[in-house]
Amino acid sequence: MPFVSAGQIIASLEYLRDHTHPFLIAILAAARAGVVVGEGDEDTVAFGGTNETALLKEFSSPVGRPDEAPLYVPFGNAQNKSRWRNEKKYAGSSLQQQRKQRPTVLVQHSDDNKRWRFVPGFEAAITARPKWFAGDLPISLVPIGVWFYRQREITGLAELAELVRTDFKVPQSLIDAGVFTSDVPPVLDSIPLADNAITDGDLFALLQQPPAKPMAEAVPTVTETPASHAQEWTSLAADALDDMDGLRGADRAARRALAALQAGMHVVLTGAPGTGKTSLAKVLFDRVGLPYTIAPATDQWTTFETIGGYFPQPGAGENLDFMPGIVVSAIEEERCLVIDELNRADIDKAFGELFTLLSGSPVSLPYRKRDGDSFKKLRIVWDAGTSDADVHEYVVPPWWRIIGTMNDADKASLKRLSLAFVRRFAFVPLEVPGQADYTAIITEAAAELPAGDVFDAVRDRLVALFATDAGGFKSIGFPIGPAIPLAMLRHTAAQIALTPDAVADALTSEVLTLYLVPQLQGRPDLHTKVLSLVQPHIGADEVAAFAHNLAVWTGFAQQ
């Protein structure tokens, strides 16, 4: 009996790369685990990362796999990363996050995160937004079968679709809805079967290189936009922001930022300390499926850090070559860019020629890049296709964006943003959550930590100071985001464990001194107001020490 051939494996991996999404692993693993369509908790079934890992270990962990990352993920575009994944991290983080981001397909038990159910009508949710859930519909089960059953004797390719349907209990409703098909892709049908199964050595060697384009296709002369990146910002629906990884109260800012990104603008998220500006930037890129790099700005930035410059190359003696900076590297690697605390840098000094690029025009750089024994001129362009063999082009993908963050609290003491820079960005304020959301954030986080009378007392005082609209820091015009009181909660729990006889007054004063007071650096105008707010929550014995530490940071001088 015949086996699938190496050519069919290559073509199948290409198909899975170009036409599917990694979330298919969750769908297949859930169906295989017996997860059913249900209305409530009583219909949930035990399922989770262990099932997804078991699937990958059984079907996608070939001989020769690296010990530290033994799982090979064939679905979707790898975004220039290795397809090999760590078995403890991939299902437990990446796939788990994907499941939580898609509650219209799979939803957890309300109290048990190890039990799941398919949502009634999940087939329609997939067909409404196929690229977000599965890929290009209908997805042929045959390439999945070629990869999964690559060393099994078969009678023909059509048999592989039936094997997948049977082994993975693929719901008939997904076939009927057009999510899956048993049809054999023509490119596979045109490749003959093999007399023998592919050897472990040949298979592992095949996996060391990205699958090549089929011979029948023209090889492009310019770099193509990866399939997963072809989902432009305009294709991201608003409901993709319904669940933002616990970012409460950020809905308005998220939708404003998304509108600006869809309009082709770059974005700066502004707001009080701890409001989740960087987290929101990550959510926006994650939801559209774009890779990104996070870079913290500093006042030492010049165009060397952002654009690049000449630098000695390892192993090249004293020879210099162009080394891309943060922005050019992000373009070259096809990764968007998050710049934290953007206004810590002198923007005019740091961005230089990039102002022209951000306005949509190409830029010629005053450097040359080594190419063998010669050097090429450097240009950053939005459209590839130069005919000049002496030019090396960095091509900016149409979806490439910068999202910066800027802390409102200390913006006056940092670098001024020039108008040339400002007009190229949309500045989106991320407000401190409203009282109800803020209180929920603190109380839900506290519920995950050891409870006790002292801990509960500190928690309640933090709610009063940070979350309430009247009588808290908001009332004096100094709102603080949730990240800071959440750090205080963790510190409180740790300190109680170290010091069992700790008291609430001293602990409240301690965490406020360690985490809040430094935020008031150079703000003598707020000294008296903050002290007045805090005093009732820390007890008379703590007031003098707290006031002294506060004055050190605010610069307040007692008259």
Side-chain angles (χ1 to χ4, degrees):
M1 292 179 68
F3 301 82
V4 298
S5 65
Q8 288 169 331
I9 294 173
I10 292 173
S12 294
L13 290 176
E14 291 171 354
Y15 179 96
L16 297 179
R17 175 199 66 195
D18 293 339
H19 298 289
T20 69
H21 189 286
F23 188 60
L24 277 182
I25 297 171
I27 294 175
L28 293 173
R32 195 183 193 209
V35 175
V36 297
V37 176
E39 297 283 353
D41 288 345
E42 67 277 6
D43 300 315
T44 57
V45 172
F47 170 69
T50 54
N51 302 90
E52 293 157 339
T53 299
L55 183 158
L56 290 170
K57 289 178 73 173
E58 181 177 352
F59 295 99
S60 213
S61 188
V63 175
R65 57 194 177 271
D67 292 338
E68 68 281 3
L71 306 180
Y72 186 85
V73 179
F75 298 100
N77 190 280
Q79 300 180 354
N80 297 320
K81 298 179 182 177
S82 170
R83 289 191 175 274
W84 297 97
R85 297 288 186 266
N86 181 289
E87 63 181 272
K88 294 182 179 179
K89 295 181 179 179
Y90 185 62
S93 57
S94 179
L95 288 177
Q96 182 183 54
Q97 183 184 49
Q98 290 183 41
R99 278 185 263 122
K100 290 183 176 180
Q101 291 171 352
R102 292 161 173 82
T104 55
V105 173
L106 282 165
V107 67
Q108 286 176 303
H109 187 286
S110 58
D111 298 318
D112 186 351
N113 62 9
K114 295 183 180 180
R115 299 182 67 84
W116 294 74
R117 62 181 170 85
F118 282 117
V119 177
F122 77 104
E123 304 91 346
I126 294 175
T127 56
R129 296 185 61 211
K131 290 184 180 296
W132 178 242
F133 294 106
D136 298 321
L137 304 187
I139 295 168
S140 174
L141 295 173
V142 175
I144 299 174
V146 168
W147 173 246
F148 283 172
Y149 307 110
R150 54 193 174 270
Q151 293 179 317
R152 179 183 293 199
E153 286 185 301
I154 57 173
T155 57
L157 292 177
E159 178 185 340
L160 295 171
E162 188 57 33
L163 282 172
V164 175
R165 288 189 61 177
T166 303
D167 286 0
F168 289 89
K169 306 174 187 176
V170 176
Q172 181 62 38
S173 61
L174 290 178
I175 305 291
D176 296 339
V179 175
F180 292 116
T181 180
S182 296
D183 294 344
V184 181
V187 67
L188 280 179
D189 210 17
S190 65
I191 303 173
L193 294 165
D195 294 332
N196 299 294
I198 188 170
T199 66
D200 293 334
D202 287 344
L203 177 64
F204 187 71
L206 179 154
L207 298 178
Q208 301 318 295
Q209 298 295 330
K213 284 290 180 184
M215 293 298 292
E217 294 188 23
V219 178
T221 57
V222 296
T223 303
E224 293 184 321
T225 301
S228 65
H229 296 173
Q231 183 181 10
E232 296 282 353
W233 288 98
T234 52
S235 68
L236 188 64
D239 61 3
L241 300 175
D242 288 346
D243 176 11
M244 292 188 290
D245 299 344
L247 276 178
R248 289 178 179 265
D251 305 55
R252 186 181 184 189
R255 283 163 174 75
R256 284 178 167 182
L258 177 57
L261 294 164
Q262 290 179 338
M265 295 295 291
H266 303 279
V267 167
V268 173
L269 299 172
T270 68
T275 47
K277 297 180 289 295
T278 304
S279 296
L280 177 55
K282 293 163 64 176
V283 165
L284 289 165
F285 285 134
D286 286 339
R287 291 300 183 272
V288 81
L290 295 174
Y292 55 88
T293 295
I294 300 177
T298 76
D299 61 359
Q300 302 301 311
W301 269 17
T302 66
T303 54
F304 184 86
E305 281 73 32
T306 58
I307 296 175
Y310 291 123
F311 200 81
Q313 298 302 298
E318 297 181 357
N319 290 333
L320 299 179
D321 198 1
F322 176 73
M323 182 178 73
I326 293 165
V327 178
V328 176
S329 289
I331 294 170
E332 183 177 36
E333 297 168 7
E334 295 193 332
R335 304 178 72 83
C336 295
L337 189 59
V338 178
I339 303 180
D340 256 341
E341 306 297 349
L342 184 67
N343 56 331
R344 291 191 180 278
D346 185 331
I347 294 300
D348 287 342
K349 181 175 70 173
F351 269 66
E353 298 94 328
L354 292 177
F355 286 138
T356 302
L357 177 72
L358 296 179
S359 67
S361 299
V363 173
S364 295
L365 301 181
Y367 304 101
R368 291 178 180 266
K369 184 178 179 64
R370 187 181 298 275
D371 183 20
D373 295 330
S374 61
F375 288 85
K376 289 187 174 182
K377 301 174 185 177
L378 299 180
R379 282 174 61 81
I380 310 176
V381 298
W382 288 91
D383 295 300
T386 180
S387 58
D388 191 342
D390 294 331
V391 175
H392 176 88
E393 288 186 342
Y394 295 100
V395 182
V396 185
W399 42 261
W400 186 79
R401 301 287 189 275
I402 294 175
I403 299 181
T405 70
M406 191 170 73
N407 187 344
D408 280 351
D410 58 1
K411 65 182 180 183
S413 64
L414 301 178
K415 304 296 184 183
R416 180 182 173 86
L417 299 179
S418 70
L419 294 178
F421 181 85
V422 168
R423 70 182 180 86
R424 288 164 170 82
F425 285 78
F427 286 74
V428 178
L430 179 56
E431 299 174 353
V432 170
Q435 182 167 320
D437 281 331
Y438 209 141
T439 300
I441 291 170
I442 294 178
T443 54
E444 289 173 6
E448 302 294 324
L449 297 168
D453 292 342
V454 173
F455 179 84
D456 291 347
V458 175
R459 175 204 61 203
D460 292 344
R461 296 175 191 191
L462 296 181
V463 169
L465 287 169
F466 289 91
T468 57
D469 294 330
F473 296 124
K474 293 180 186 178
S475 67
I476 62 171
F478 192 71
I480 300 288
I484 292 173
L486 294 184
M488 294 180 182
L489 283 176
R490 296 191 296 271
H491 183 106
T492 299
Q495 187 63 278
I496 290 173
L498 293 171
T499 314
D501 59 349
V503 295
D505 285 353
L507 263 180
T508 305
S509 178
E510 177 179 321
V511 295
L512 289 171
T513 298
L514 295 179
Y515 298 95
L516 170 73
V517 168
Q519 302 295 329
L520 291 152
Q521 182 178 19
R523 295 299 303 271
D525 56 309
L526 290 175
H527 179 94
T528 302
K529 294 177 182 178
V530 169
L531 185 58
S532 178
L533 286 177
V534 169
Q535 187 169 340
H537 298 284
I538 63 175
D541 294 340
E542 302 295 330
V543 172
F546 179 83
H548 171 74
N549 286 313
L550 181 62
V552 169
W553 283 95
T554 62
F556 179 79
Q558 187 71 43
Q559 300 298 323

